Amino acid sequence: MKHTLTTTIGALVASIALSPLAHSATWDMPTPYPDTNFHTKNITEFAEEVAKITDGELEIKLHTAGSLFKHPEISKAVRSGQVPAGEFFLSLLANENPAFGADSLPFLATDYDQATALWNAQKPVIEALLEEQGMQILFSVPWPPQGLYTTKPIATVDDLKGLKFRTYNATLERFADLAGAAPTQVEAPDIPQAFSTGRVEAMITSPSTGVDSTAWDFLTHYTDIQAWIPKNIVIVNTRAIRKLDDATRDAVMSAAASAEARGWAASQEETATNVQVLKDNGIIVVEPSEELQNGLREIGAAMLDEWRAEAGDAGAAMLDAYAQ
Ligand code: PCA
């Protein structure tokens, strides 16, 4: 009798340990940007779709605008398994490997076709790097092309000299340095305060972030330099996704594929719509002078050389794949 009971319990324990998730689960998911932002809205739809397909078996609970983890902590929180999934600005990981920063290189990919080609070249490399850290890509969505926001007209690179310049990653910091500006790292939700307190007086970011932060309250000019198309990425901890049963995991992957397609389309729509919102609110929107654009391109070319030197053969292979 005793033997039988032990065996039965043993078998039961083994079957529980081996069986995939059989009950409903909640995933806490940190994101860095505000609720008004199109990335956040897209992820909200992603979470709704997962809940719908799984009949509520998996609830993804968003913690937006850096409320659960500060932006620079999000990738680490997913890696360590503190949270199963999260969103962050992909090129923030460039300090780990230059491959992560390719989409933030000035003037390497400046329209959506180029951004797609770059993502196709970048994705396998990034997939492998994340896999080593126990993480997987769910989807990645680009920001609109990055433009220059200032409190005065900018006709040449010289006009940027000495400006207190808001940056969001090391690559942009380098760009600001080379332009002679004075870079300061500021997270997107803190932009209005940084301008209103005089900590910064210029920035490069998308029309989306300009609108999210009501840029017309504190600056006057938007120069449409369309310098690069950086991406956000949504990743998942590999152990966490393996714990799901097959049907739930399929639901997450299929909702992720829809979110990627929907996000790329939304990003392109945002570009024109939000430049118009900037104009409607009184910001002076201008095309860059040839002299300004040439000066910025020169800085971009120097940065690409630096990147190549740092990224070595793997970087060269990625650029070759991109050029195909
Ligand atoms: N907005 C984010 C990243 C790129 C963008 O367009 C930001 O400014 O922080």
Side-chain angles (χ1 to χ4, degrees):
M1 177 67 192
K2 185 163 183 278
H3 171 79
T4 321
L5 189 63
T6 316
T7 315
T8 313
I9 290 172
L12 200 66
V13 168
S15 84
I16 289 171
L18 291 175
S19 75
L21 189 80
H23 49 84
S24 61
T26 301
W27 276 10
D28 286 303
M29 177 170 172
T31 75
Y33 299 102
D35 290 354
T36 50
N37 183 261
F38 79 99
H39 288 282
T40 315
K41 289 183 189 160
N42 191 39
I43 293 175
T44 304
E45 274 187 61
F46 162 72
E48 284 165 1
E49 200 177 333
V50 170
K52 196 169 149 210
I53 315 178
T54 64
D55 231 347
E57 284 297 297
L58 180 59
E59 189 205 348
I60 298 178
K61 200 169 164 221
L62 298 189
H63 301 270
T64 58
S67 56
L68 184 61
F69 285 97
K70 295 275 165 229
H71 192 181
E73 305 302 322
I74 293 178
S75 63
K76 292 176 201 128
V78 178
R79 179 166 46 188
S80 67
Q82 282 173 285
V83 287
E87 179 202 34
F88 57 90
F89 193 55
L90 176 60
S91 52
L92 283 187
L93 297 188
N95 59 343
E96 288 179 15
N97 189 300
F100 289 112
D103 66 10
S104 288
L105 289 169
F107 302 105
L108 180 61
T110 57
D111 64 35
Y112 282 91
D113 285 343
Q114 291 174 350
T116 303
L118 183 59
W119 179 223
N120 289 338
Q122 204 183 12
K123 191 174 177 182
V125 183
I126 283 171
E127 234 157 21
L129 291 169
L130 291 174
E131 198 187 315
E132 284 168 15
Q133 306 182 8
M135 299 188 282
Q136 281 178 24
I137 300 172
L138 287 182
F139 57 94
S140 181
V141 171
W143 291 89
Q146 306 289 291
L148 175 62
Y149 292 83
T150 50
T151 52
K152 60 171 191 183
I154 302 292
T156 69
V157 173
D158 262 2
D159 294 335
L160 295 171
K161 286 228 157 70
L163 289 186
K164 287 183 270 176
F165 204 96
R166 178 261 169 172
T167 61
Y168 52 57
N169 68 6
T171 318
L172 181 50
E173 195 174 315
R174 180 73 182 135
F175 193 68
D177 264 336
L178 291 171
T184 307
Q185 176 83 20
V186 176
E187 287 301 329
D190 305 327
I191 290 173
Q193 209 205 356
F195 273 92
S196 61
T197 57
R199 248 183 93 206
V200 296
E201 53 194 339
M203 64 179 172
I204 287 180
T205 186
S206 57
S208 312
T209 295
V211 170
D212 287 347
S213 47
T214 59
W216 45 88
D217 289 342
F218 46 80
L219 51 79
T220 50
H221 286 72
Y222 180 72
T223 309
D224 198 8
I225 57 173
Q226 309 203 355
W228 59 94
I229 300 186
K231 294 182 294 291
N232 285 356
I233 194 161
V234 173
I235 57 164
V236 66
N237 180 289
T238 308
R239 269 175 292 130
I241 195 150
R242 285 206 184 126
K243 268 194 214 152
L244 301 175
D245 62 50
D246 289 350
T248 309
R249 192 165 47 239
D250 287 351
V252 171
M253 294 322 289
S254 109
S258 320
E260 180 152 303
R262 192 174 54 233
W264 280 73
S267 180
Q268 292 181 64
E269 272 167 38
E270 283 263 318
T271 308
T273 320
N274 279 348
V275 168
Q276 190 57 44
V277 175
L278 295 177
K279 278 186 195 160
D280 292 347
N281 283 283
I283 289 189
I284 301 162
V285 175
V286 293
E287 292 303 312
S289 72
E290 216 178 298
E291 200 181 342
L292 173 64
Q293 204 71 344
N294 287 343
L296 295 176
R297 281 183 182 279
E298 263 174 45
I299 297 175
M303 288 177 64
L304 184 57
D305 285 345
E306 290 175 359
W307 186 88
R308 277 179 198 279
E310 208 193 326
D313 291 346
M318 188 195 288
L319 292 182
D320 283 349
Y322 170 55
Q324 291 305 303

